[in-house]
Amino acid sequence: MNKIIVFLFLCSINVLADFNTKCSILITLRLQSTDDAYQDAISKIDQCEKYDILSVTSFLDESVSKVYITDLLQTYCMFNHEIITLIDNKTSYLSCVHRGNARVERKIS
């Protein structure tokens, strides 16, 4: 009986470890540099791995955050998992499961 409990415990640890990774990104104004905050965020997201929980917080203006978060959602989030977004005038937030690589931008001609 004890062997079964130990086996189940070890299996549950392994399963939890696969979903316990989080990739946190902040998008803020750059006061001391001219770097583009959005491009910096994309560079960091590209370092995340498939199935990481992508967590993006933006402290930019609401209208700018809405565009950035919508683009990140469409580019990096898995649509078959829960997606959480909050967009307001102080802080905007996106949380989703990372799809592993960016969707290719379609060219409409």
Side-chain angles (χ1 to χ4, degrees):
M1 181 69 172
N2 287 339
K3 289 181 181 179
I4 293 173
I5 293 173
V6 170
F7 176 75
L8 291 174
F9 178 73
L10 291 176
C11 288
S12 67
I13 290 174
N14 194 18
V15 169
L16 293 174
D18 290 341
F19 293 100
N20 198 18
T21 55
K22 188 171 183 179
C23 186
S24 298
I25 310 296
L26 289 176
I27 302 175
T28 61
L29 290 175
R30 308 284 184 208
L31 300 177
Q32 298 179 359
S33 77
T34 59
D35 294 342
D36 182 16
Y38 185 66
Q39 288 304 318
D40 185 44
I42 288 176
S43 296
K44 290 177 183 174
I45 290 170
D46 287 338
Q47 296 174 16
C48 301
E49 296 183 18
K50 187 173 185 176
Y51 299 116
D52 280 356
I53 303 302
L54 183 59
S55 174
V56 179
T57 304
S58 173
F59 294 103
L60 302 177
D61 182 62
E62 182 179 0
S63 61
V64 174
S65 290
K66 185 174 185 175
V67 170
Y68 287 172
I69 286 180
T70 300
D71 184 58
L72 293 175
L73 188 151
Q74 293 174 350
T75 306
Y76 293 101
C77 293
M78 289 185 167
F79 295 138
N80 59 340
H81 290 71
E82 185 173 359
I83 298 171
I84 300 170
T85 60
L86 168 70
I87 299 175
D88 72 23
N89 58 358
K90 293 184 181 178
T91 305
S92 297
Y93 178 77
L94 165 68
S95 181
C96 67
V97 177
H98 192 289
R99 66 183 311 271
N101 51 23
R103 287 184 178 84
V104 178
E105 186 177 327
R106 297 185 314 173
K107 306 243 183 223
I108 301 173
S109 45

